[in-house]
């Protein structure tokens, strides 16, 4: 490992290893990185997709934890910061889509591979809560009919505050939803409305109370830091409200400004103030961490906290660990057998392919050679630590050479050693995607002689 690092050009070294600084929170790396596709396996030929999928369905499923991801590609509005918008909600199109989604669930039902119970179901989007109560009820009943759910299955539905009305909430809860994840983003009315959210602070708090009042589901919210108008004091006010809000846990996500997003267009045109830069977002994250570290809450991952024992975060943890994830719906992605798949994103083509009786696969990749090791690394770092000794003992002794990288990160203030385990500092948690990408690249170099760094130059986000 030392030889690999020593051979790097300075620009590449700073990108992979980082910069020597006494302010790692702000200056650990020259830029934020993204997890790069080169870490995934090889693309399979299109002609193999259908037969591979059918072959997997006929295999007896392994006795493992598994989840299902179900995609709802509709939103009532397009938020300025969003990079995932697909379709505006239209009842006629929604009815037709749910018909096909139910048909897709039914296609695989009863196959040997689906005989193994599903521990977690995540209904994401888009905005699943935009579904009418009738369509939500139809879909949820189909999930219970065609997927073998464990008796403690975590069934999550993503929602926006505006949809927390009795008719919708009661449809969800009566049909098995036991966890609702809500995109609040900020409690501050000015911040919210600037980026296309509808409800004000008072409405948010009232509707969270209403949902929690049913006492039937875990209530989780997302907050984003770095939004326009979100001063440090506004952000601290948001964090303070978490203590009394009717929630069981929360995620804190940093804002990503996508190149073609409406938010970038608005800020470039001067109609909105600029979003926070990397250094400002680092300070916002650290400020939240300072507050939350004094509360009786559990930090489940580098960006997720549980306030009550009701929150398990099961689906997300299983996804990090690389367990089977069965995908359903236009734009869904998942993992089954030895490959990952993506489904047709275009809703009309998706429905046409369902009508023709086929799984609407649009991409399939084989698992990388070191898939188990990659998943273990991603899981550990997302949970806030890296145990090289454990990875070396259980998966490959050559991984012990990563100690050279961890020693540099310890000097740079990104990790701290504790009982042989490298735990991410607050700075390390803020830069965790950089750490994850670098470790995966170093693993590829150590084990396979694969140098993917050159492709990563410039693949960064602010």
């Amino acid at each position: 490992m030392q030889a690999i690092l020593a051979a790097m050009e300075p620009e590449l070294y700073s990108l992979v290893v980082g910069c020597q600084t006494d302010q790692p929170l702000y200056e650990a790396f020259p830029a934020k990185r993204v997890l790069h596709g080169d870490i995934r396996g090889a693309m399979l030929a299109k002609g193999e997709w259908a037969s591979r999928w059918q072959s997997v369905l006929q295999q007896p499923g392994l006795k493992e934890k598994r989840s299902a991801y179900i995609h709802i590609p509709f939103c009532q509005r397009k938020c300025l910061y969003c990079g995932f918008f697909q379709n505006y909600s239209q009842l006629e199109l929604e009815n037709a889509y749910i018909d096909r989604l139910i048909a897709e669930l039914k296609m695989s039902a009863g196959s040997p591979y689906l005989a193994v119970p599903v521990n977690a179901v995540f209904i994401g989007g888009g905005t699943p809560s935009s579904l009418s109560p009738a369509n939500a009820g139809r879909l949820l009943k189909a999930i219970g009919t065609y997927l073998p759910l464990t008796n403690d299955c975590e069934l999550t539905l993503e929602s926006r505050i505006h949809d927390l009305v009795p008719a919708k909430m009661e449809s969800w809860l009566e049909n098995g939803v036991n966890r609702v994840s809500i995109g609040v983003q900020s409690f501050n009315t000015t911040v919210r409305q600037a980026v296309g959210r509808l409800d004000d602070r008072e409405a948010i708090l009232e509707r969270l109370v209403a949902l929690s009042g049913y006492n039937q589901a875990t209530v989780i919210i997302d907050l984003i830091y770095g939004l326009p108008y979100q001063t440090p004091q506004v952000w601290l006010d948001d964090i303070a409200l978490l203590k009394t809000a009717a929630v069981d846990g929360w995620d804190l996500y940093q804002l990503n400004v996508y190149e073609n997003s409406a938010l970038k267009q608005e800020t470039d045109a001067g109609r909105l103030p600029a979003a926070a830069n990397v250094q400002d977002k680092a300070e916002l994250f650290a400020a939240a961490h300072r507050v939350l570290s004094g509360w009786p809450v559990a930090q489940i991952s580098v960006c997720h906290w549980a306030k009550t024992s009701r929150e398990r975060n099961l689906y997300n943890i299983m996804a990090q660990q690389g367990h089977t994830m069965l995908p359903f719906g236009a734009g869904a992605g998942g993992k089954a057998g030895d490959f990952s798949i993506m489904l047709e994103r275009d809703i009309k083509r998706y429905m046409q392919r369902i009508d023709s009786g086929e799984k609407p696969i649009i991409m399939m990749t084989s698992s990388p050679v070191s898939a188990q090791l990659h998943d273990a690394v991603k899981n550990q770092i997302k949970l806030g630590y890296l145990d090289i000794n454990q990875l070396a003992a259980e998966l490959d002794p050559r991984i012990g050479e990563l100690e050279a990288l961890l020693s540099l990160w310890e000097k740079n203030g990104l990790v701290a050693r504790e009982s042989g385990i490298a735990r991410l500092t607050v700075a390390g948690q803020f830069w965790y995607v950089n750490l994850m990408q670098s470790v995966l690249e170093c693993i590829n170099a150590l084990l396979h002689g694969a140098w993917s760094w050159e492709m990563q130059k410039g693949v960064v986000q602010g």
Side-chain angles (χ1 to χ4, degrees):
M1 190 73 251
Q2 290 178 333
I4 291 172
L5 298 178
M8 290 182 181
E9 298 174 2
E11 180 187 359
L12 186 57
Y13 186 92
S14 66
L15 193 66
V16 175
V17 179
C19 310
Q20 190 168 6
T21 174
D22 58 359
Q23 298 190 80
L25 180 64
Y26 311 110
E27 301 172 353
F29 293 92
K32 300 285 285 188
R33 301 183 78 188
V34 295
L35 282 179
H36 189 246
D38 195 50
I39 298 303
R40 296 198 301 263
M43 184 80 71
L44 298 180
K46 184 176 181 180
E48 300 180 34
W49 298 348
S51 61
R52 290 270 190 144
W53 173 249
Q54 291 303 320
S55 176
V56 166
L57 290 181
Q58 298 313 309
Q59 298 172 11
L62 300 175
K63 300 298 182 182
E64 59 166 356
K65 288 182 179 180
R66 54 174 54 187
S67 65
Y69 177 76
I70 297 172
H71 195 70
I72 306 299
F74 301 112
C75 295
Q76 295 288 351
R77 292 169 64 93
K78 181 179 180 180
C79 297
L80 295 185
Y81 54 81
C82 183
F84 306 102
F85 178 85
Q86 289 178 259
N87 309 280
Y88 284 108
S89 298
Q90 304 171 43
L91 185 57
E92 184 177 351
L93 181 60
E94 178 188 301
N95 292 338
Y97 177 74
I98 295 300
D99 287 342
R100 274 56 170 214
L101 185 49
I102 292 171
E104 186 189 357
L105 286 161
K106 189 175 181 179
M107 279 181 197
S108 305
S111 65
Y113 192 71
L114 263 72
V116 177
V118 172
N119 300 86
V121 176
F122 194 94
I123 307 173
T127 313
S129 62
S130 67
L131 293 177
S132 69
N135 279 328
R138 287 203 298 141
L139 173 60
L140 290 164
K141 284 182 173 67
I143 291 170
T145 299
Y146 299 124
L147 293 179
L149 308 182
T150 60
N151 62 5
D152 67 341
C153 180
E154 177 191 87
L155 206 172
T156 302
L157 182 139
E158 282 191 322
S159 176
R160 61 175 185 154
I161 283 291
H162 202 66
D163 289 326
L164 297 183
V165 296
K168 291 193 173 191
M169 292 189 290
E170 288 163 14
S171 175
W172 308 336
L173 301 175
E174 288 169 6
N175 290 287
V177 171
N178 55 27
R179 186 174 183 269
V180 182
S181 179
I182 307 158
V184 170
Q185 322 312 5
S186 175
F187 291 104
N188 184 277
T189 303
T190 299
V191 172
R192 286 175 54 78
Q193 293 180 352
V195 294
R197 310 300 280 187
L198 295 173
D199 300 288
D200 61 21
R201 176 182 180 277
E202 289 69 28
I204 296 169
L205 296 174
E206 289 171 3
R207 294 191 181 198
L208 291 174
V209 168
L211 176 58
S212 297
Y214 287 97
N215 194 27
Q216 294 291 322
T218 305
V219 179
I220 304 299
I221 66 172
D222 297 340
L223 295 181
I224 293 178
Y225 55 95
L227 293 162
Y229 296 114
Q230 194 179 47
T231 65
Q233 187 56 55
V234 166
W235 174 239
L236 288 175
D237 290 344
D238 278 347
I239 297 301
L241 277 172
L242 294 171
K243 196 168 194 176
T244 54
V247 299
D248 297 289
W250 53 82
D251 286 287
L252 304 182
Y253 294 124
Q254 60 178 289
L255 176 68
N256 291 321
V257 182
Y258 298 99
E259 187 62 32
N260 296 320
S261 67
L263 178 57
K264 189 172 191 307
Q265 294 171 10
E266 291 295 299
T267 54
D268 286 351
R271 291 186 289 269
L272 281 178
N277 60 29
V278 172
Q279 289 72 29
D280 290 337
K281 286 188 286 188
E283 180 52 42
L284 294 174
F285 176 78
H289 207 281
R290 285 192 292 270
V291 173
L292 297 176
S293 63
W295 291 5
V297 296
Q299 186 176 4
I300 295 178
S301 75
V302 295
C303 55
H304 190 85
W305 282 257
K307 188 166 77 169
T308 75
S309 59
R310 210 166 198 170
E311 166 60 341
R312 294 184 292 167
N313 199 34
L314 185 60
Y315 170 85
N316 291 314
I317 290 174
M318 289 172 59
Q320 293 162 204
Q321 293 172 339
H323 291 287
T324 291
M325 182 192 299
L326 304 166
F328 300 94
K335 178 180 178 182
D338 293 325
F339 56 81
S340 298
I341 63 176
M342 287 293 298
L343 302 186
E344 178 67 65
R345 180 180 172 88
D346 181 88
I347 193 168
K348 291 184 179 179
R349 288 197 295 268
Y350 166 83
M351 293 194 294
Q352 289 169 355
R353 294 181 67 181
I354 292 294
D355 289 343
S356 69
E358 62 175 309
K359 186 76 170 179
I361 299 170
I362 196 171
M363 184 177 73
M364 182 178 285
T365 58
S366 62
S367 296
V369 176
S370 303
Q372 187 178 4
L373 180 55
H374 287 179
D375 289 336
V377 165
K378 288 186 285 187
N379 180 55
Q380 287 191 2
I381 292 178
K382 191 69 182 286
L383 296 179
Y385 75 97
L386 199 57
D387 189 342
I388 294 299
N389 292 331
Q390 179 192 24
L391 295 174
E394 295 181 359
L395 297 172
D396 194 309
R398 291 174 291 177
I399 298 307
E401 290 200 39
L402 289 173
E403 284 290 344
L405 182 62
L406 291 184
S407 294
L408 293 170
W409 283 346
E410 185 176 22
K411 291 178 183 177
N412 290 349
L414 295 170
V415 301
R417 300 301 180 104
E418 181 180 320
S419 302
I421 296 174
R423 299 198 179 277
L424 274 60
T425 62
V426 173
Q429 291 178 48
F430 177 73
W431 293 99
Y432 84 93
V433 173
N434 289 57
L435 304 187
M436 194 180 290
Q437 176 68 24
S438 294
V439 171
L440 294 177
E441 288 171 335
C442 288
I443 286 173
N444 282 356
L446 278 171
L447 305 190
H448 313 301
W451 291 72
S452 60
W453 292 298
E454 292 300 324
M455 297 177 64
Q456 266 287 295
K457 284 187 176 183
V459 184
V460 297
Q461 57 187 12

